[in-house]
Amino acid sequence: MAATASVQPYLLIGNPGNKRTLGLQAARQKLGLPPAIVLPYSDLLNRSIHLGESIRQAATNSQPLEGKPIIIRLEAPGENPLVERELIAWGAEFEGSRKDLTSGLSVTAAKALRLPEEYGRILYPGQWYRGYCRLLAELREAAQQSDSPIRWVNDPADVAVMFDKRRCQQLLSQNGVPTPAMPAPAGSIRDYESLLAAVQSSRMNRLFIKLAYGSGASGIIAYQRHPVTGSEIAITTIGVEQHNDEQLYYNSGKLQRYTDHATIRLIIDWLCREGAQIERWIEKDSIDGSSYDIRQLVVNGSPCHALARLSRTPITNLHLRNERRLITDGMLSAILKEQVEHTAVSALAAFNGSTVAGIDVLVQKKRGLTYICDVNPFGDLLYHAEHKGMNTYEWQMSLLQQ
């Protein structure tokens, strides 16, 4: 009987065939590593596979290298309508995950699974998040109960916190990581009226209002209010449609500018019901007339790949077809580049169980101070960025061989 090969099993929880999964598999092939064992989100959600059994099979089918645990990597669950609806359904049945901070719309599990595919529509984000937290907790428990030693690339408990911008900022602040100030404590602004009260008491007339569980610029508003006249401007990707006496909210994929009070109030009320992170609007530094921030990848406690995201608008997310630019010599001073990297590293260090994240760092105009905009546990899909001649996935896989 042939001897079982000694390898370090690598389990990848993700959506098969998407660019993230394919990118990681290509990197492993290039480096001579066996393919990752892909566990589809859809199969885990419908319970046709179970993580505990997959761990046992991986340990049985290979002879794990001595002292090397089975690695489990979580990938982004997005870009799959079936998985999105399954997570919303799971959220309908889950009562344990931070429901105190959201009173958003809900739908039964049965109706969630029958939701039609509507391109761009933002579907029950608070309930989706509760469902994802339920899945993350279940996966973490299954791994803990397995007999094999395992290591998460990013601990599911950390991923749950990173995905809630309020909880993430709270953790960062507790660890001394610079984040934008808030006009009121997280979760205390429940609607448009309480937002106005917070604006007046804090004198923060320019704010970023973010859907707590949003990504890719979905559910974000750059909001400003004149302190004397009360006139308002909201720059956002959020579109609103009326359908059968129901308000539908969607990610338009491009920025819209609202000035009418009624629409601004409607959108802010909805965001606050679903759960919103509200923070001071810090004016970003600029390059060639465009405001920018930095997506800095941190792996195993060290900075590596980085991109500048440039925009003529206040919102720099690359999903809005903003310019991506590699960090080249002379773009940032050596001191500022080091400061950006240090801030990003300190952000990931706040999460004891995680080793990889794309950290969004803004540089304040004129003052040069750095702040964390976002911590993305799946923020390593950076096109054309290289570090020591490797793309992001190749670099991460190469570290396994050290």
Side-chain angles (χ1 to χ4, degrees):
M1 189 171 88
T4 303
S6 295
V7 298
Q8 185 173 18
Y10 196 102
L11 306 185
L12 174 62
I13 297 172
N15 292 323
N18 72 7
K19 52 198 171 187
R20 297 172 182 275
T21 301
L22 294 176
L24 186 135
Q25 296 285 42
R28 291 183 67 83
Q29 182 180 26
K30 183 175 181 179
L31 294 172
L33 296 169
I37 301 167
V38 179
L39 308 181
Y41 272 111
S42 57
D43 292 347
L44 290 164
L45 287 162
N46 65 30
R47 301 192 189 285
S48 60
I49 63 172
H50 300 271
L51 179 59
E53 179 59 29
S54 297
I55 292 172
R56 285 190 290 273
Q57 289 179 357
T60 300
N61 295 339
S62 62
Q63 182 180 336
L65 293 171
E66 184 177 354
K68 296 282 190 178
I70 295 172
I71 298 175
I72 309 177
R73 176 187 174 100
L74 285 159
E75 261 300 353
E79 301 176 1
N80 186 309
L82 173 62
V83 170
E84 179 184 25
R85 282 152 182 75
E86 287 276 9
L87 289 172
I88 294 171
W90 274 48
E93 302 169 4
F94 185 44
E95 298 296 328
S97 178
R98 300 293 289 184
K99 205 167 182 178
D100 57 307
L101 288 184
T102 176
S103 58
L105 297 174
S106 60
V107 65
T108 66
K111 288 183 178 179
L113 295 175
R114 296 196 302 269
L115 287 169
E117 290 190 27
E118 297 174 89
Y119 181 76
R121 185 177 170 190
I122 305 173
L123 291 168
Y124 305 98
Q127 185 170 325
W128 176 95
Y129 175 70
R130 293 195 299 271
Y132 193 40
C133 283
R134 178 187 176 194
L135 176 64
L136 291 171
E138 188 170 293
L139 294 173
R140 193 174 194 268
E141 178 67 19
Q144 286 179 332
Q145 292 181 357
S146 69
D147 295 329
S148 301
I150 64 99
R151 176 174 72 80
W152 291 97
V153 174
N154 286 342
D155 190 306
D158 284 352
V159 172
V161 174
M162 293 180 195
F163 249 99
D164 184 338
K165 292 178 173 59
R166 299 160 300 185
R167 297 169 65 190
C168 183
Q169 191 200 54
Q170 183 179 32
L171 179 65
L172 294 177
S173 297
Q174 290 171 350
N175 284 271
V177 182
T179 57
M182 297 188 297
S188 64
I189 297 177
R190 299 295 183 122
D191 52 25
Y192 177 82
E193 290 301 327
S194 55
L195 173 71
L196 286 191
V199 167
Q200 291 167 356
S201 62
S202 67
R203 297 184 179 180
M204 294 185 191
N205 294 296
R206 304 177 80 234
L207 298 167
F208 265 94
I209 306 171
K210 306 175 182 179
L211 183 62
Y213 327 110
S215 61
S218 179
I220 186 170
I221 303 174
Y223 171 83
Q224 52 188 318
R225 183 177 188 273
H226 195 285
V228 177
T229 67
S231 62
E232 300 169 294
I233 300 173
I235 300 171
T236 180
T237 60
I238 300 172
V240 187
E241 288 184 359
Q242 183 82 19
H243 181 71
N244 295 334
D245 298 323
E246 181 185 8
Q247 300 291 345
L248 305 182
Y249 299 89
Y250 60 93
N251 181 3
S252 67
K254 59 182 180 180
L255 291 179
Q256 305 193 50
R257 188 176 188 271
Y258 297 107
T259 57
D260 61 295
H261 169 80
T263 303
I264 292 174
R265 181 186 188 116
L266 185 72
I267 293 173
I268 289 176
D269 278 344
W270 171 73
L271 273 177
C272 290
R273 284 197 305 270
E274 291 293 342
Q277 164 65 12
I278 302 173
E279 59 193 37
R280 182 191 293 276
W281 176 344
I282 295 175
E283 188 175 5
K284 298 180 178 74
D285 198 6
S286 62
I287 295 174
D288 297 336
S290 295
S291 60
Y292 76 94
D293 58 20
I294 304 293
R295 167 63 61 89
Q296 176 67 63
L297 185 61
V298 179
V299 178
N300 292 354
S302 297
C304 46
H305 306 71
L307 286 174
R309 310 186 303 179
L310 288 79
S311 176
R312 298 283 179 175
T313 77
I315 301 175
T316 56
N317 298 71
L318 296 177
H319 286 75
L320 299 177
R321 298 179 177 84
N322 287 318
E323 179 186 359
R324 67 181 75 226
R325 191 179 296 185
L326 298 177
I327 307 296
T328 56
D329 292 342
M331 181 182 294
L332 305 177
S333 70
I335 293 176
L336 180 56
K337 184 174 184 294
E338 183 179 349
Q339 185 178 338
V340 167
E341 292 176 345
H342 173 77
T343 303
V345 168
S346 67
L348 185 56
F351 296 90
N352 294 326
S354 295
T355 61
V356 177
I359 315 292
D360 295 337
V361 184
L362 72 82
V363 179
Q364 187 174 16
K365 191 176 183 66
K366 296 181 180 179
R367 300 187 65 187
L369 300 177
T370 51
Y371 297 87
I372 297 299
C373 302
D374 198 13
V375 177
N376 189 332
F378 313 125
D380 54 359
L381 181 63
L382 301 179
Y383 296 111
H384 311 303
E386 289 193 349
H387 178 70
K388 297 186 178 181
M390 301 182 192
N391 69 27
T392 58
Y393 298 118
E394 292 165 358
W395 176 246
Q396 292 176 68
M397 294 305 99
S398 73
L399 296 178
L400 298 175
Q401 301 175 317
Q402 298 180 5

